[in-house]
Amino acid sequence: MIPLSGDFGNAKGIVREKLGSFETHRGTSTLKRGFAHMLKNGVVMDVTTVEQAQIAEDAGAVAVMVLDKLPSDVRKAGGVARTASIRVIEEIMDSVTIPVMAKCRIGHVYEAKVLGETDVDMIDESEVLTPADEFHHIWKWDFTTPFVNGARNLGEALRRIEEGAAMIRTKGEPGTGNVAEAVIHIKNVNTELRRIKSIYDAGDEQDLVSIARELKVSYSLVEETASLGRLPVVNFAAGGISTPADAAYLMTLGCDGVFVGSGIFKSEDAKERAQAVVLATTFWEDP
Amino acid sequence: MTGVNIGILAVQGDVAENLTATRMAMDELGVEGVVTEVKNPDQISDLDGLIIPGGESTVIGTLSLVNGSLKKIKEKIASGIPVLGTCAGMILLSKKAKDRVVGDMEQPLLDYLDIKIERNTFGRQKDSFEADVALEKIGVPKFRGVFIRAPSVIDAGKDVEILSKFNEKIVAVKQGNIIGTSFHPELTADLSIHKYFVNLVQKKN
């Protein structure tokens, strides 16, 4: 079981308020990570319009990710890629019942604040857009809205979790239609997880401390991850997934679900393709 | 096989959490039996009890329709097995659902609990909250409710017992052996509700 509590119990993103006769807490780790848990075994689809969002919902997508341009177009267009239009995000939120996510630039605290105020269900601090801060990511404990972050290896994943990410997507190359990079990175993460698990099982605390230093994260997070033998948050695969078989293959590697970007709405038969990817993700054990 | 056979509908959502909570509840109660993930009609037909987990109700419903699981679950409910639905699970067990913003929904439902659901009743994810609720009627005076984009019951028929309310909103119900909650008991360490369910399954068995 993935633990639902995280550090920073007094994070700024936690809101305490009285609703009627009830004391409530919002923005806790349980609620943020718990939200990600509800997406498990699902497909999150990239969309740019209301029409695409509705096709995604009908096909069985577990959430949609709103972008200005699909990743493959971002890749072609060059220039600076930013958060999608707030008007389009709001229109989509009003037309589908599934969660709506949107991307902000890495380190761009204000784009994230605007998305938080827009009331998106999850913010993706994403490398698909042009980074706004080359050195720092957003300190996500300050937000009530949960975040998902990309990672290519265990160190990146744990650093993002330590910054407050409630979910990780192990990423390939967005907008390429080539799943190879995603596969490499997921296998990397799995190998590293197996390594620290075996060190944990052997009781070698000294080695875990040196791994924490090497990965530049706290010892407690390394110890927790090592004891679980998996990331302490939900982990999806992302980037370059374009066919149902790609999605099913990534599920067999132990991912909790998949993000599909350009693969669906760049194809001729978006509706059928969207449904097929969902079916492959759900019933991957039984092709 | 000895003991009870409880299944967790494993189409989409927080299946593992329910599996763990149920197993721990059985261990603490000393109830013998198995808990398994179920996905297809054959697996469902052998069950003494079923849990429909949290997740996206549209996804779980649509996909259970595709492989015939939905029909099989309806048959099992008609035969009287206890079912616990949390959040999306409660939506699926209901007769009618609408969304707070989008309006009436045409999504596949099990059409059993005589209730009307309002989905996303408290708002979007930022409005998700934790609060202590009470379910006195099943002997649980205090329970940490984890409400994630939660639904509520806006209309309940005469056969429906109201187990819990959050202010004016109904957040837990029971009709016969079927229980629905707006919140996620599987996301807390408190096993009271899963224990109540396991007892229900054992009694029925």
Side-chain angles (χ1 to χ4, degrees), chain A residues 3 6 36 51 64 77-78 80 103 118 121 129 146 149-150 161 168 180 187 193 209-211 213 233 248 251 272 286:
Chain A
E51 192 198 1
V64 290
V80 178
K103 289 179 189 285
T118 308
D121 296 292
L129 308 182
N149 274 89
I161 293 167
I168 291 293
K187 288 192 170 169
L193 284 168
V209 170
S210 63
I211 286 169
R213 287 191 187 130
V233 300
M251 292 303 286
E272 288 76 13
D286 182 18

Side-chain angles (χ1 to χ4, degrees), chain A residues 225-255:
Chain A
T225 308
S227 74
L228 293 165
R230 60 154 293 148
L231 291 180
V233 300
V234 167
N235 178 29
F236 272 38
I241 299 162
S242 48
T243 67
D246 288 347
Y249 177 37
L250 291 166
M251 292 303 286
T252 65
L253 296 179
C255 294

Side-chain angles (χ1 to χ4, degrees), chain A residues 23-87:
Chain A
E23 287 290 343
T24 67
H25 288 80
R26 293 190 284 125
T28 62
S29 236
T30 301
L31 293 166
K32 290 174 168 182
R33 292 186 184 184
F35 167 74
H37 283 230
M38 298 311 144
L39 306 175
K40 283 195 295 181
N41 249 42
V43 181
V44 182
M45 295 184 193
D46 280 357
V47 300
T48 57
T49 63
V50 170
E51 192 198 1
Q52 289 179 355
Q54 282 167 343
I55 292 174
E57 179 173 48
D58 290 343
V62 80
V64 290
M65 174 77 72
V66 186
L67 293 97
D68 226 3
K69 297 188 199 85
L70 290 174
S72 64
D73 291 328
V74 172
R75 193 169 263 275
K76 266 185 249 155
V80 178
R82 305 182 179 85
T83 287
S85 137
I86 300 299
R87 187 179 50 79

Side-chain angles (χ1 to χ4, degrees), chain A residues 249-270:
Chain A
Y249 177 37
L250 291 166
M251 292 303 286
T252 65
L253 296 179
C255 294
D256 296 317
V258 297
F259 282 88
V260 183
S262 325
I264 290 172
F265 293 105
K266 277 284 152 188
S267 65
E268 300 281 311
D269 48 352

Side-chain angles (χ1 to χ4, degrees), chain A:
Chain A
M1 190 170 170
I2 310 179
L4 287 162
S5 56
D7 281 337
F8 296 93
N10 289 315
K12 284 186 198 156
I14 297 176
V15 182
R16 294 169 180 79
E17 64 183 355
K18 203 161 163 107
L19 289 179
S21 53
F22 291 83
E23 287 290 343
T24 67
H25 288 80
R26 293 190 284 125
T28 62
S29 236
T30 301
L31 293 166
K32 290 174 168 182
R33 292 186 184 184
F35 167 74
H37 283 230
M38 298 311 144
L39 306 175
K40 283 195 295 181
N41 249 42
V43 181
V44 182
M45 295 184 193
D46 280 357
V47 300
T48 57
T49 63
V50 170
E51 192 198 1
Q52 289 179 355
Q54 282 167 343
I55 292 174
E57 179 173 48
D58 290 343
V62 80
V64 290
M65 174 77 72
V66 186
L67 293 97
D68 226 3
K69 297 188 199 85
L70 290 174
S72 64
D73 291 328
V74 172
R75 193 169 263 275
K76 266 185 249 155
V80 178
R82 305 182 179 85
T83 287
S85 137
I86 300 299
R87 187 179 50 79
V88 174
I89 295 173
E90 284 177 338
E91 279 171 16
I92 290 176
M93 288 196 304
D94 287 343
S95 64
V96 296
T97 64
I98 54 177
V100 176
M101 307 180 181
K103 289 179 189 285
C104 74
R105 284 181 271 174
I106 290 175
H108 204 315
V109 177
Y110 263 79
E111 268 187 1
K113 282 191 179 173
V114 169
L115 289 176
E117 289 305 314
T118 308
D119 242 2
V120 298
D121 296 292
M122 185 172 243
I123 301 170
D124 182 1
E125 186 180 17
S126 176
E127 66 292 338
V128 170
L129 308 182
T130 315
D133 185 329
E134 299 282 352
F135 301 103
H136 297 95
H137 281 70
I138 296 170
W139 188 249
K140 292 163 274 282
W141 299 105
D142 287 350
F143 288 78
T144 308
T145 307
F147 277 74
V148 55
N149 274 89
R152 287 168 302 192
N153 53 52
L154 184 62
E156 282 185 0
L158 295 184
R159 287 196 290 278
R160 300 296 86 80
I161 293 167
E162 197 154 71
E163 292 156 2
M167 178 175 176
I168 291 293
R169 49 184 173 74
T170 305
K171 64 197 186 188
E173 276 301 314
T176 57
N178 183 355
V179 80
E181 295 279 328
V183 171
I184 290 170
H185 294 145
I186 287 155
K187 288 192 170 169
N188 273 348
V189 171
N190 286 345
T191 309
E192 290 174 283
L193 284 168
R194 272 199 296 274
R195 178 170 149 242
I196 66 169
K197 175 93 166 79
S198 64
I199 294 170
Y200 177 86
D201 290 342
D204 190 343
E205 286 167 14
Q206 192 177 11
D207 211 1
L208 283 184
V209 170
S210 63
I211 286 169
R213 287 191 187 130
E214 183 193 315
L215 300 180
K216 298 186 188 122
V217 291
S218 68
Y219 175 75
S220 62
L221 184 56
V222 170
E223 190 191 26
E224 183 191 17
T225 308
S227 74
L228 293 165
R230 60 154 293 148
L231 291 180
V233 300
V234 167
N235 178 29
F236 272 38
I241 299 162
S242 48
T243 67
D246 288 347
Y249 177 37
L250 291 166
M251 292 303 286
T252 65
L253 296 179
C255 294
D256 296 317
V258 297
F259 282 88
V260 183
S262 325
I264 290 172
F265 293 105
K266 277 284 152 188
S267 65
E268 300 281 311
D269 48 352
K271 217 175 258 183
E272 288 76 13
R273 166 106 33 161
Q275 275 166 352
V277 171
V278 170
L279 286 172
T281 305
T282 307
F283 299 109
W284 57 271
E285 296 134 308
D286 182 18

